[in-house]
Amino acid sequence: PFPPYHTAVRGVDGKHHNNSNNNNNNNEMSQQAMNGVPQRGKLLTLDNMNPKVKRVEYAVRGPIVQRAVQIEKELREGVKKPFTEVIKANIGDAHAMGQKPITFLRQVLALCSYPELLKDNQFPEDAKKRAQRILEACGGHSIGAYSASQGIECIRHDVAHFIEKRDGGIPSNPDNIYLSTGASDAIVTILKLLVSGEGRDRTGVMISIPQYPLYSAALAELDAVQISYYLDEDKCWSLDVKELRRALYAARQHCNPRVLCIINPGNPTGQVQSRQCIEDVIRFAKEENLFLMADEVYQDNVYAEGCQFHSFKKVLFEMGPEYSSKVEMASFHSTSKCYMGECGFRGGYMEVINMDPEVKAQLTKLVSVRLCPPVPGQALLDLVVNPPQPDEPSYATFMKERTAVLAALAEKAKLTEQIFNTVPGITCNPVQGAMYTFPRISLPQKAIDKAKEEGQVPDMFYCMKLLEEEGICLVPGSGFGQREGTFHFRMTILPPTEKLKLVLKKIKDFHLRFTKEFS
Amino acid sequence: MRLLSPTKVRLLSFGRGDVLAGSGGPTVRSLTSPPLLTRRGLPKEKMSENGLMSRAKVLTIDTMNPTVKKVEYAVRGPIVQRAVELERELSEGMKKPFVEVIRANIGDAHAMGQQPITFFRQVLALCSYPELLNDSTFPEDAKSRAHRILQSCGGNSMGSYSASQGIDSVRQDVARYIERRDGGVSCDPDDIYLTTGASDGIVTMLKLLMCGEGAARTGVMISIPQYPLYSAALAELGAVQINYYLNEENCWSLDITELQRALDEARLHCNPRALCIINPGNPTGQVQSRECIEDVIRFAAKERLFLMADEVYQDNVYADGCQFHSFKKVLFEMGPEYSNTVELASFHSTSKCYMGECGFRGGYMEIINMDDDVKAQLTKLVSVRLCPPVPGQALMDLVVNPPQPGEPSYDNFIKERTATLSVLAEKAKLTEQVLNTVQGISCNPVQGAMYSFPRITIPKKAIEEALDKGQQPDMFYCMKMLEETGICLVPGSGFGQKEGTYHFRMTILPPTDKLQILLNKVKEFHQKFTQQYS
């Protein structure tokens, strides 16, 4: 009696159901299905809502996280579990994992929020100076005023200086900087500009597999064609231009590939691209007429020896005018990652390079509809790109805090790799950068069969079981994409070292138990 | 480049794809001209390596998203861009007939000199830098609020992501606020979604409602004049905009027969599914009567329309005899026949009212009678953007849960709040009065919100000159006013108006003395303009 559409969601259990996108017929059906009284049926139903929205999936906050929240509630209500707390290792949320905010950043934000404090002598002079400068750039000297839609002008200047310094002097024009509501906002905005055409002329966007699911979600919502290129797990998740070419040529048969997205350092895979690789990618983008999107939000999160972050902008300009005056590119950064981990403020920026001036005008218009990015996030970004300098009073503390965070992360990256690689059935590439490990897990055939019986993808089955038995919340590899027949999970390395050791040990025990149970 | 229409590009590209696919396309494709300008990375394009071709951008005005091109947002449109230029010119020492640009184009209270509410900012400072909790200069109630907010943040830090729907405790506070506001009508925190300003919530709801193609495409009814977020969002989403006109002669009131007319006409070419109401009105400043709201709800129920109630100005009601009634409250007072069936989303924000904290991008929406499956989809959709800015959520919490009688900050809070609102009421009256003394300007009372939307008479000669220049007459008028007086207004055409009528939107937010000067300047300009073109 329930029409099929009734279960057409990916339920809390994480089971796969097929979405029906057949609107018009089902629309009538659903109205009659409600006891045959059409009037009572909801106006807005699963059958007649936006079909593109239905196709959106975002595993990082998907069914497994919903179950984690339920379990937390059950624990609070006194339900007995084999664990006392849920550890959410599903997301790169540094402060939630106990990382302390950088003192200087928060002092300036407090001063901006309540300028009365500028009279308070417990605040260092450099913090006051920064706050004053930010406030002077705000309408009515208040962070409660709207800013320019592109972002506060002096902050865009500071961002441009930061980029120039980072890239060894390559100029950056503040007019090419757009502040954003986290990096996600800017990424979706650029993708939105690029989507056009119908049928086989629809815009295709190349994204890595595994990928950060913001990309697949945005492409689903924009109804763009996702073109998957696979990273090479056997070579530490490196990117191979041959694979890019394969994916591109295959896609040209059914869509119009226009964009190539790169995440470096990688999420969820943690690789750091070599300079050579970036050059190859740029050459490929130019040859194939692709707009480059470089997601560089983990640019300060590089841990492995011999690895170094190279910005796409810098490499592009070092390749000479043949490239630097032609290749269209947008690169993205954020306040949420690196050493500051200020996710809640939703700060970020993008730099656009070689964008057609008419398109840029359209971009500026488009962002104006949402008025402006949150001003506290803009202020925070200003501090990130313009931190205390060696001769300023907050410098020593700032450096101490920053170094401590990054050193601990480097240590945890190594620890994670080492421990996982001692577990039979788990293999783990080095976490060269970013904040995650994406180990491969072998699942016994019996477990795979059991999962299928329950209508779950096998790694979801695995992660769900881990959550129920150990209270550890991970994201199954299927949420990021993986080669057929391989299974993974993503785990953040952010928990404090002692807790991380515990998490790793619990996963190890679980994996051994799981393997035994299903073999 | 420009000669190439998007349609041609599409045809050409089809041709190419077919070659690669090893199959011939329909005959029409072979009629296209040689692939001079295709943009798909074909080796063939390299033939023109030294010509225009390889230089051509991947992303051009011709190949970008056509729905984005259709987006217009006058509140920050060309006139504001010119205002920014003028400010720069002034700062570079250029001589102008004015010494400063007054931006009366947008409801940006703090930029106009309104002071933040002390209590709010104290709590935000405490949340930003919790060391201050040890500081004895902060009142205890500010500390206890900050403490409570921080406790509901991951790791006790505003720097953590919150739940995508918003912080639990904040949603609970919002629900209790709504219950108090609506005389006890119950509110479920699960129906509350915190947002990045109200705009975010509005666009998200519209997005959910989109479906169908051609005559089955979702149509959305919006008032004319409207706040252009709506038309911009509809353009971007490819929805059909259905205009219903407010009655200027009757103080911009909403008339059900006009709703019916607009709906009936629209049904011929689209699938009308949603009705958007802004109350108090933006840009028109009217406050809807209870009876009008009942009529609208009855209409929505009868015509099966999803109701979207934009109530961000709910505390901005100035006129005697006017009162804000929430759609939620009226809906529930109409009995279960309505309250169980009519689907409604209502929107609120931290940007307006007495707080005017636009920069924080705080807001919420409440959804009522939404299908459970759709709600799950909504929750999933908002999760992709992770969460609304946490400082904005914290601020929202303070707005819905301000100092209570007996708490140390109460008196000062009430003093500040009352001062702001009574000054606004005074300015609303002043604006109406002064503008109505000008011949050729007629202005409805500003019953609520933050804007005046007076009608202006533009002489025929001016209209002709504007059309010669390819400008809307009211854009021509506002641009001239900006150049001559430094006052930045938004032409009525950016909001929509009945054909042949002209208006502008002006915010009433400038401080009273400055507003007085501004109104006088508008008056003088209008008289001069009228004289010049008659």
Side-chain angles (χ1 to χ4, degrees):
Chain A
F2 277 127
Y5 64 84
H6 203 81
T7 49
V9 230
R10 202 162 185 198
V12 174
D13 58 353
K15 288 178 183 174
H16 266 311
H17 304 285
N18 288 327
N19 283 348
S20 152
N21 294 319
N22 197 349
N23 300 309
N24 291 340
N25 296 341
N26 284 352
N27 190 5
E28 282 160 37
M29 261 176 54
S30 68
Q31 291 193 7
Q32 279 157 21
M34 303 285 188
N35 293 334
V37 186
Q39 301 291 23
R40 277 287 157 81
K42 298 281 184 193
L43 208 51
L44 181 59
T45 68
L46 204 52
D47 302 312
N48 62 27
M49 66 171 277
N50 191 334
K52 296 172 198 166
V53 170
K54 276 194 282 190
R55 289 197 291 268
V56 167
E57 284 188 33
Y58 188 68
V60 174
R61 293 207 152 182
I64 201 145
V65 184
Q66 287 164 32
R67 178 63 191 139
V69 172
Q70 270 177 14
I71 291 178
E72 278 180 331
K73 204 168 148 214
E74 290 171 18
L75 281 175
R76 274 197 306 272
E77 288 162 358
V79 178
K80 276 265 176 301
K81 300 271 175 194
F83 46 85
T84 52
E85 66 164 335
V86 174
I87 300 173
K88 291 195 196 164
N90 59 298
I91 192 164
D93 192 355
H95 291 196
M97 285 293 171
Q99 186 181 309
K100 292 280 166 273
I102 301 288
T103 305
F104 178 76
L105 304 187
R106 293 309 194 87
Q107 286 175 331
V108 178
L109 286 169
L111 290 161
C112 289
S113 301
Y114 188 51
E116 277 293 303
L117 292 171
L118 287 165
K119 298 173 193 151
D120 188 329
N121 49 25
Q122 66 168 298
F123 285 88
E125 283 310 312
D126 50 353
K128 288 187 187 174
K129 220 172 74 192
R130 280 335 138 87
Q132 226 142 18
R133 181 158 173 274
I134 292 168
L135 288 172
E136 269 165 34
C138 292
H141 297 179
S142 166
I143 55 172
Y146 290 120
S147 76
S149 303
Q150 198 172 345
I152 295 173
E153 201 171 328
C154 83
I155 299 181
R156 290 192 289 110
H157 278 91
D158 288 349
V159 169
H161 288 151
F162 160 81
I163 294 173
E164 285 178 0
K165 223 159 68 196
R166 181 196 69 187
D167 291 345
I170 291 163
S172 170
N173 182 349
D175 281 350
N176 290 338
I177 307 295
Y178 287 75
L179 305 191
S180 57
T181 307
S184 308
D185 168 44
I187 291 168
V188 174
T189 301
I190 291 293
L191 287 172
K192 197 180 277 173
L193 286 180
L194 280 154
V195 171
S196 71
E198 295 301 329
R200 294 174 60 174
D201 197 35
R202 190 70 178 161
T203 293
V205 178
M206 303 186 71
I207 64 173
S208 64
I209 296 295
Q211 53 117 17
Y212 175 55
L214 165 71
Y215 289 91
S216 50
L219 296 181
E221 199 188 314
L222 293 167
D223 207 17
V225 180
Q226 175 178 326
I227 305 170
S228 304
Y229 64 88
Y230 288 83
L231 301 176
D232 188 348
E233 183 167 15
D234 299 331
K235 287 193 188 147
C236 200
W237 298 114
S238 65
L239 190 163
D240 180 4
V241 171
K242 278 204 298 280
E243 166 61 10
L244 286 180
R245 195 160 283 129
R246 178 206 61 78
L248 180 74
Y249 287 176
R252 283 219 168 107
Q253 320 244 345
H254 62 270
C255 71
N256 178 10
R258 300 179 73 196
V259 196
L260 170 56
C261 301
I262 306 278
I263 312 175
N264 178 48
N267 175 5
T269 38
Q271 81 285 13
V272 177
Q273 287 186 338
S274 69
R275 214 201 116 94
Q276 182 60 47
C277 173
I278 295 174
E279 274 189 31
D280 292 346
V281 169
I282 291 173
R283 225 170 270 124
F284 174 80
K286 179 169 175 287
E287 271 166 33
E288 303 293 353
N289 251 317
L290 298 169
F291 190 106
L292 258 178
M293 290 176 61
D295 179 338
E296 303 180 323
V297 300
Y298 296 100
Q299 55 188 264
D300 286 339
N301 296 107
V302 175
Y303 317 117
E305 275 173 48
C307 284
Q308 202 193 328
F309 171 74
H310 304 275
S311 79
F312 267 77
K313 165 97 181 285
K314 180 168 191 244
V315 177
L316 176 69
F317 277 72
E318 287 173 354
M319 286 169 76
E322 188 195 343
Y323 292 92
S324 64
S325 64
K326 281 180 191 155
V327 175
E328 290 154 73
M329 191 178 100
S331 78
F332 306 90
H333 196 15
S334 151
T335 58
S336 305
K337 309 299 170 187
C338 301
Y339 62 92
M340 51 283 181
E342 294 277 11
C343 313
F345 282 80
R346 314 308 297 123
Y349 75 79
M350 66 176 160
E351 182 183 20
V352 295
I353 292 151
N354 289 323
M355 182 176 269
D356 183 282
E358 285 177 310
V359 175
K360 217 170 122 184
Q362 294 284 327
L363 170 61
T364 305
K365 177 193 72 178
L366 181 63
V367 298
S368 79
V369 180
R370 293 298 185 87
L371 297 162
C372 69
V375 176
Q378 296 188 44
L380 185 62
L381 180 69
D382 190 51
L383 305 171
V384 169
V385 296
N386 185 17
Q389 297 304 302
D391 56 344
E392 291 183 316
S394 302
Y395 181 74
T397 305
F398 170 76
M399 283 313 283
K400 207 179 89 195
E401 291 175 346
R402 181 184 195 276
T403 312
V405 172
L406 290 175
L409 280 172
E411 184 196 356
K412 291 188 277 193
K414 200 159 244 171
L415 180 73
T416 305
E417 178 202 349
Q418 280 169 352
I419 295 192
F420 274 148
N421 278 330
T422 66
V423 187
I426 298 186
T427 51
C428 176
N429 271 317
V431 183
Q432 296 175 334
M435 294 181 167
Y436 316 97
T437 174
F438 196 69
R440 183 155 167 183
I441 46 177
S442 20
L443 301 181
Q445 189 56 45
K446 271 195 202 159
I448 296 174
D449 294 342
K450 180 88 189 298
K452 282 183 181 152
E453 256 172 56
E454 298 195 358
Q456 274 184 339
V457 281
D459 50 9
M460 173 64 92
F461 174 77
Y462 177 94
C463 289
M464 207 51 110
K465 220 165 146 57
L466 174 66
L467 174 63
E468 298 288 350
E469 293 180 13
E470 301 286 355
I472 295 170
C473 179
L474 305 177
V475 191
S478 47
F480 304 87
Q482 52 200 353
R483 275 203 190 273
E484 175 108 32
T486 69
F487 303 107
H488 302 77
F489 58 74
R490 185 183 85 162
M491 183 190 105
T492 176
I493 60 166
L494 286 171
T497 310
E498 283 318 302
K499 202 173 216 172
L500 180 65
K501 281 186 185 158
L502 192 74
V503 170
L504 292 168
K505 179 167 187 313
K506 281 180 157 204
I507 294 176
K508 181 176 178 170
D509 293 347
F510 169 80
H511 187 83
L512 296 174
R513 212 166 59 230
F514 182 90
T515 309
K516 210 148 108 185
E517 184 184 342
F518 289 99
S519 59
Chain B
M1 260 329 293
R2 276 325 156 47
L3 296 174
L4 183 69
S5 72
T7 330
K8 276 186 189 152
V9 174
R10 182 173 341 135
L11 289 169
L12 295 169
S13 306
F14 267 125
R16 211 195 116 270
D18 289 333
V19 173
L20 281 177
S23 66
T27 2
V28 65
R29 289 178 193 164
S30 63
L31 295 175
T32 55
S33 48
L36 277 176
L37 297 172
T38 64
R39 207 51 73 56
R40 300 183 62 172
L42 243 195
K44 274 181 207 163
E45 283 182 11
K46 288 192 173 157
M47 292 192 308
S48 41
E49 187 80 41
N50 52 356
L52 288 170
M53 212 33 264
S54 66
R55 293 252 177 81
K57 303 275 187 190
V58 178
L59 181 60
T60 68
I61 198 87
D62 300 317
T63 61
M64 67 174 280
N65 189 335
T67 65
V68 170
K69 275 193 276 189
K70 287 185 204 135
V71 167
E72 282 185 35
Y73 188 67
V75 174
R76 294 205 153 187
I79 201 144
V80 183
Q81 285 162 33
R82 179 63 190 139
V84 172
E85 272 174 30
L86 284 172
E87 277 177 339
R88 190 171 301 160
E89 291 172 14
L90 278 174
S91 72
E92 286 163 1
M94 221 181 268
K95 276 266 175 302
K96 299 277 169 196
F98 47 86
V99 290
E100 66 164 336
V101 173
I102 302 175
R103 296 209 207 174
N105 59 296
I106 192 164
D108 192 356
H110 291 197
M112 285 293 170
Q114 185 181 309
Q115 291 308 303
I117 299 287
T118 305
F119 178 76
F120 292 173
R121 293 309 194 89
Q122 285 175 331
V123 178
L124 286 168
L126 289 161
C127 289
S128 300
Y129 188 52
E131 276 293 303
L132 292 171
L133 288 166
N134 305 323
D135 186 327
S136 55
T137 59
F138 284 85
E140 283 309 312
D141 51 351
K143 286 187 188 175
S144 75
R145 270 348 129 85
H147 198 67
R148 181 157 173 275
I149 291 168
L150 287 174
Q151 272 185 330
S152 48
C153 292
N156 295 346
S157 167
M158 283 210 295
S160 298
Y161 291 121
S162 75
S164 302
Q165 197 172 345
I167 297 172
D168 252 8
S169 71
V170 178
R171 289 192 292 112
Q172 283 160 16
D173 288 348
V174 168
R176 281 196 290 266
Y177 159 82
I178 292 174
E179 287 178 353
R180 276 197 314 271
R181 181 197 71 187
D182 291 345
V185 174
S186 74
C187 176
D188 183 347
D190 280 350
D191 291 338
I192 305 297
Y193 286 74
L194 303 188
T195 57
T196 307
S199 308
D200 172 43
I202 291 167
V203 174
T204 301
M205 270 316 305
L206 288 172
K207 197 178 278 174
L208 285 181
L209 283 155
M210 289 310 120
C211 75
E213 296 301 329
R217 187 68 183 162
T218 295
V220 177
M221 304 187 71
I222 63 173
S223 63
I224 296 294
Q226 53 119 15
Y227 174 56
L229 167 70
Y230 290 91
S231 50
L234 296 180
E236 195 187 315
L237 292 167
V240 180
Q241 174 177 327
I242 305 169
N243 297 334
Y244 65 88
Y245 288 83
L246 301 176
N247 186 351
E248 183 166 15
E249 279 67 41
N250 195 14
C251 201
W252 296 114
S253 65
L254 191 161
D255 181 7
I256 298 295
T257 52
E258 168 59 12
L259 283 180
Q260 192 73 56
R261 177 207 62 79
L263 181 72
D264 292 347
E265 282 175 22
R267 283 231 158 95
L268 302 174
H269 64 270
C270 70
N271 176 15
R273 302 183 71 196
L275 169 56
C276 302
I277 305 278
I278 312 175
N279 177 49
N282 175 6
T284 39
Q286 81 285 14
V287 176
Q288 288 187 339
S289 69
R290 211 201 120 93
E291 198 194 336
C292 174
I293 294 173
E294 274 187 29
D295 290 346
V296 169
I297 291 173
R298 231 172 265 120
F299 177 80
K302 176 172 76 99
E303 301 293 349
R304 293 188 51 76
L305 296 169
F306 191 105
L307 260 177
M308 290 178 55
D310 179 340
E311 303 180 323
V312 300
Y313 297 98
Q314 54 188 269
D315 286 338
N316 296 107
V317 176
Y318 317 117
D320 283 336
C322 283
Q323 201 193 326
F324 170 74
H325 302 276
S326 79
F327 267 77
K328 163 96 182 280
K329 178 168 192 247
V330 176
L331 176 69
F332 277 74
E333 287 172 357
M334 286 169 73
E337 186 193 344
Y338 293 94
S339 65
N340 288 341
T341 58
V342 174
E343 288 152 73
L344 167 74
S346 78
F347 305 91
H348 196 17
S349 153
T350 57
S351 304
K352 309 298 169 187
C353 302
Y354 63 92
M355 51 282 182
E357 295 277 12
C358 312
F360 282 80
R361 314 309 297 121
Y364 74 77
M365 64 176 169
E366 182 186 15
I367 52 166
I368 291 150
N369 289 322
M370 182 177 269
D371 180 270
D372 287 340
D373 288 339
V374 176
K375 209 168 133 187
Q377 294 285 326
L378 169 61
T379 306
K380 176 194 73 179
L381 182 63
V382 298
S383 80
V384 180
R385 292 298 185 89
L386 298 162
C387 69
V390 175
Q393 297 188 46
L395 186 60
M396 191 78 242
D397 190 53
L398 304 172
V399 169
V400 296
N401 186 18
Q404 299 304 306
E407 289 186 321
S409 301
Y410 180 74
D411 290 343
N412 192 48
F413 169 75
I414 291 295
K415 205 180 87 195
E416 291 176 347
R417 181 184 196 277
T418 313
T420 301
L421 289 175
S422 61
V423 168
L424 278 171
E426 181 191 303
K427 292 190 281 194
K429 203 160 244 170
L430 178 72
T431 304
E432 178 202 350
Q433 280 168 353
V434 174
L435 288 179
N436 275 330
T437 65
V438 188
Q439 203 170 14
I441 297 186
S442 60
C443 177
N444 272 317
V446 182
Q447 297 175 333
M450 294 182 168
Y451 315 96
S452 169
F453 196 69
R455 182 154 166 182
I456 48 177
T457 314
I458 298 183
K460 203 158 185 321
K461 267 198 210 159
I463 294 175
E464 281 160 5
E465 190 172 324
L467 296 178
D468 272 351
K469 288 192 169 180
Q471 268 183 340
Q472 292 287 340
D474 50 9
M475 173 63 92
F476 175 77
Y477 176 95
C478 289
M479 208 51 113
K480 225 168 145 56
M481 169 139 43
L482 175 63
E483 298 287 349
E484 292 179 16
T485 67
I487 297 170
C488 179
L489 305 176
V490 191
S493 46
F495 304 88
Q497 53 201 353
K498 259 204 204 295
E499 177 111 28
T501 70
Y502 303 107
H503 303 77
F504 59 74
R505 186 183 85 162
M506 184 191 104
T507 176
I508 60 166
L509 286 171
T512 311
D513 49 343
K514 204 171 207 171
L515 181 66
Q516 188 86 58
I517 297 172
L518 188 149
L519 290 166
N520 283 336
K521 281 184 159 194
V522 171
K523 181 175 180 169
E524 282 164 26
F525 169 81
H526 187 84
Q527 287 164 344
K528 216 173 86 199
F529 183 88
T530 308
Q531 211 167 43
Q532 184 185 347
Y533 286 100
S534 58

